Amino acid sequence: MDRLTQAAMHRNGGEESPDGRDEQSRRRMDDSPARTGRHPEMHPQLAHAIETSVVPQLVREHRQAPVPAQRRIGTADVTAFTEISLHGDVGKAAAFVEALRQGGVTLEAVYLELLEPAARRLGVLWEADLCDFTEVTVGLGRMQQVLRDVSDDFRNETECVANGKRLLLVPAPGEQHSFGLFIVADFFARAGWDVWGGPGSPDGDVFTLVREEWFDVVGLSVGCDTRLEVLAADIGAMRAESRNQAIGIMVGGPLFVAHPECVARVGADAMAANGLEAPGAALALLARLAVQN
């Protein structure tokens, strides 16, 4: 060993490594960027601070970043769609809905925030003598066509698993319009129910169906309060005729939303304010009936 090597080893306070490098040189290599992952000019304490404080804070801020708000349907949209349904054509009504969907509006919002309120607005216009019966009928017909066009997409938006429950949906006796049943039927079908009936079901068929077929629940759409006594009598007859003696009877419509006390008055078991709430309300009703029976 020459004197230069001995002097260097003496200054470093170490011995020569087996591969001929002194201890200080080996430590420099072990602390190199390739081995530590640190920037060559970054102080170890700074690197530690970034790893333990800065990076976690950035991750938290990223996770907490607000999600961009979706396009919402407003009163102006409902008014415009109602006017198109009354005085336009099906193509324009369908294009209006498609434009909303392209803008980020979900089909569920189309059902709950556009179609249902537009149908109610038609009823208000009729009651105020701002349009006649024929205009309302034509307008609802256009809305129903739009609903049919999007129905499959709506039902297939979520994975539908059959729940083994069967529902009969019918308009209350004497009801002229039952657009709401189309909407409610789609929500039940999407929730896995086997849905029978629908708008336009003749009054006489209801009693035949409940007598010959098993239904867990019958849903009745009610629009006015002038035939509540008749409805109460019909509900009593359905219970008496029903193959399922523990059948549940649900009612829906603006009347029961405004006056929930009318549910008991007509002899029904429950109500739902809209299509979204209806499947859950029906399952809750069946759970309650199971305990009672």
Side-chain angles (χ1 to χ4, degrees), residues 81 83-95 138 142-143 146:
F81 182 72
E83 290 301 310
I84 292 173
S85 300
L86 276 173
H87 307 297
D89 55 41
V90 173
K92 290 180 180 179
V138 171
R142 290 173 180 143
M143 291 183 188
V146 170

Side-chain angles (χ1 to χ4, degrees), residues 61-286:
E61 291 177 356
H62 176 72
R63 289 176 177 173
Q64 296 170 0
V67 178
Q70 288 185 329
R71 163 81 156 86
R72 296 302 301 270
I73 296 175
T75 303
D77 296 311
V78 174
T79 300
F81 182 72
T82 304
E83 290 301 310
I84 292 173
S85 300
L86 276 173
H87 307 297
D89 55 41
V90 173
K92 290 180 180 179
F96 187 91
V97 170
E98 181 60 25
L100 290 175
R101 295 181 66 185
Q102 291 297 323
V105 174
T106 65
L107 273 178
E108 186 172 284
V110 168
Y111 273 63
L112 298 175
E113 299 173 15
L114 182 72
L115 295 174
E116 281 190 350
R120 288 197 298 269
R121 179 170 172 77
L122 281 179
V124 171
L125 294 175
W126 181 21
E127 293 172 357
D129 291 327
L130 296 176
C131 59
D132 59 30
F133 181 82
T134 301
E135 289 175 316
V136 171
T137 301
V138 171
L140 285 174
R142 290 173 180 143
M143 291 183 188
Q144 288 172 3
Q145 184 58 56
V146 170
L147 188 58
R148 290 190 191 98
D149 291 343
V150 300
S151 178
D152 287 343
D153 287 347
F154 178 72
R155 293 188 181 203
N156 295 326
E157 264 190 342
T158 60
E159 184 177 352
C160 178
V161 179
N163 63 10
K165 306 299 182 184
R166 181 180 285 182
L167 169 76
L168 176 62
L169 272 180
V170 290
E175 288 294 325
Q176 299 289 340
H177 297 122
S178 52
F179 175 72
L181 284 182
F182 284 97
I183 292 176
V184 174
D186 277 357
F187 274 98
F188 270 102
R190 192 170 75 156
W193 288 68
D194 179 13
V195 182
W196 285 49
S201 302
D203 296 345
D205 284 352
V206 176
F207 300 102
T208 301
L209 281 171
V210 297
R211 183 170 57 250
E212 297 180 353
E213 299 287 343
W214 178 281
F215 294 101
D216 297 281
V217 175
V218 171
L220 297 164
S221 174
V222 182
C224 62
D225 59 357
T226 59
R227 297 174 59 86
L228 292 185
E229 288 72 18
V230 175
L231 177 59
D234 286 339
I235 288 177
M238 286 180 200
R239 293 190 190 280
E241 294 281 341
S242 177
R243 181 177 175 184
N244 174 14
Q245 287 297 295
I247 195 168
I249 307 292
M250 289 185 64
V251 290
L255 168 66
F256 295 103
V257 174
H259 302 283
E261 68 278 4
C262 289
V263 176
R265 178 180 169 185
V266 299
D269 300 304
M271 62 154 285
N274 54 46
L276 179 63
E277 294 181 5
L283 289 177
L285 168 58
L286 292 180

